[in-house]
């Protein structure tokens, strides 16, 4: 009597749902090949292997020029590399999300809410012409950060105050805020009076 075969464990439900959403946008042709895998690492490897198998130039088209100076083989290679980058990025984002501590999540939420509040305050102040240069209302209109609050995540793991203390011996990272990145500025300088008064 033969031993019953053991099926490979399936991709966990939550990962399968996320992968389905991701592949629906990036590579729908890979959805039927969603791997049975026990971990993110196995699923990532299986998807990368599937991309390598599926995106191979074939037949007489390999050397055909499909537009000036680009052969079919070259175009397929570009698309394969783009998909490999996208798949690696998908799993990298999952690893980062899984590594966030509760304190980091609270900090990001607090800073996103503060970003929206400061942004709303500045909008009202500009509209009422309350921001003045001498006797003249500021001619600036301001660039809204509404919808861009998640930029706080880009600054979350940079070396910044208070861990890296401001001053002449500062050994932290630097950012150069310009527009729509008020949240990143507030991660470095959480006092809202700074962006309001400067």
């Amino acid at each position: 009597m033969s031993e019953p075969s053991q099926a490979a464990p399936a991709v966990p439900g939550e990962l399968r749902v996320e992968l389905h959403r991701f592949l629906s946008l990036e590579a729908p042709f890979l959805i039927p090949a969603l791997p049975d895998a026990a971990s993110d690492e196995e699923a990532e490897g299986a998807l990368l292997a599937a991309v390598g198998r599926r995106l191979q130039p074939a037949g007489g088209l390999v050397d055909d020029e499909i537009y000036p100076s680009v052969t079919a083989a070259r175009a397929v290679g570009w698309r394969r590399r783009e998909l490999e980058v996208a798949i690696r990025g998908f799993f990298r984002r999952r690893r980062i999300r899984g590594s966030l501590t509760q304190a980091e999540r609270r900090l990001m939420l607090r800073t996103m809410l503060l970003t929206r509040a400061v942004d709303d305050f500045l909008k009202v102040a500009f509209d009422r012409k309350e921001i003045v240069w001498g006797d003249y209302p500021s001619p600036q209109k301001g660039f809204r950060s509404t919808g861009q609050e998640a930029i706080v995540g880009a600054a979350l793991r940079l070396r910044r105050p208070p861990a890296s203390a401001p001053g002449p011996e500062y050994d932290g990272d630097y950012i150069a805020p310009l527009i729509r990145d008020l949240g990143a500025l507030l991660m470095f300088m959480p006092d809202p009076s700074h962006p309001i008064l400067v």
Side-chain angles (χ1 to χ4, degrees):
M1 187 169 176
S2 64
E3 292 288 317
S5 62
Q6 290 190 343
V11 171
E14 170 262 338
L15 173 56
R16 181 170 285 279
V17 169
E18 279 193 37
L19 274 173
H20 197 281
R21 287 182 188 141
F22 167 73
L23 293 174
S24 295
L25 296 173
E26 296 292 338
F29 67 89
L30 288 176
I31 291 174
L34 271 175
D36 286 332
S39 67
D40 280 28
E41 291 74 20
E42 291 174 352
E44 182 176 4
L47 281 174
L48 290 171
V51 167
R53 286 190 306 273
R54 291 290 303 271
L55 291 178
Q56 292 292 331
L61 298 176
V62 173
D63 295 321
D64 287 0
E65 201 170 279
I66 57 174
Y67 48 92
S69 300
V70 177
T71 63
R74 191 172 179 194
V76 168
W78 287 341
R79 182 62 182 138
R80 185 176 60 246
R81 285 187 294 278
E82 287 170 0
L83 276 178
E84 289 168 350
V85 167
I87 289 167
R88 287 188 178 101
F90 169 85
F91 286 99
R92 176 73 177 129
R93 288 188 297 277
R94 278 182 56 85
R95 286 189 287 276
I96 291 170
R97 190 169 63 237
S99 74
L100 294 174
T101 66
Q102 286 301 317
E104 287 174 324
R105 291 171 188 267
R106 282 192 298 273
L107 174 63
M108 285 194 299
L109 177 59
R110 177 197 175 279
T111 308
M112 289 193 317
L113 294 171
L114 180 60
T115 299
R116 178 64 64 93
V118 171
D119 191 62
D120 289 346
F121 173 84
L122 288 171
K123 169 70 172 147
V124 170
F126 275 115
D127 287 350
R128 291 182 181 164
K129 304 296 183 193
E130 293 173 349
I131 297 176
V132 297
W133 299 100
D135 295 330
Y136 301 97
S138 171
Q140 298 178 2
K141 62 178 182 175
F143 288 95
R144 302 296 308 272
S145 288
T146 301
Q148 309 296 322
E149 293 86 356
I151 191 69
V152 302
L156 179 66
R157 297 218 170 136
L158 295 178
R159 295 169 301 154
R160 55 188 165 71
S164 295
E169 303 300 319
Y170 179 69
D171 64 347
D173 290 311
Y174 291 86
I175 61 171
L178 183 59
I179 60 171
R180 297 187 175 92
D181 49 11
L182 175 61
L185 174 66
L186 289 170
M187 288 290 283
F188 274 76
M189 307 176 101
D191 180 354
S193 64
H194 179 79
I196 290 171
L197 298 175
V198 174

